[in-house]
Amino acid sequence: MADQGPAQDFGCEHCWPVAADAAWEARAALTHVADLIDQSHFHVMILACPACAQRFVSVFTETIDWVNGDDPQDSTLLPITEAEADDLVQRRESLSESDLNWVGSGRRSLRRDCPSGAAARTFWGKGISVGRHD
């Protein structure tokens, strides 16, 4: 997929820049709002931009590479509305992977794929697709 910038109706230049690599770097400045799922290889949380208050749902998954110790990891960062953030927080006790896959369906998201034995890749995707995890 070409490195296209995100839709302009979410975020600001600090949290949601045009280039995928820059957006991944900007993720480090986002602040933690709430944990939705907190497991060792599956972590879902809501983050916010300190500059514009844009909310994001962040999904991290990992599987254990028992042979080489190079655990494959996937991350997705999706901008969400305040109403979506509130809904996710209210439903966190019963939130399922299929629920997450419907959030922002079709909306541009930031993806980071760190496969076992290969270089990490950051790119624009659509929606959330919860990756494999232990």
Side-chain angles (χ1 to χ4, degrees), residues 45-61:
M45 61 184 158
I46 295 177
L47 304 172
C49 175
C52 72
Q54 173 64 57
R55 300 284 195 256
F56 295 88
V57 64
S58 171
V59 179
F60 168 81
T61 59

Side-chain angles (χ1 to χ4, degrees), residues 92-106:
R92 72 174 133 199
E93 296 301 320
S94 63
L95 201 58
S96 71
E97 290 182 25
S98 60
D99 292 335
L100 290 169
N101 287 334
W102 284 101
V103 175
S105 179

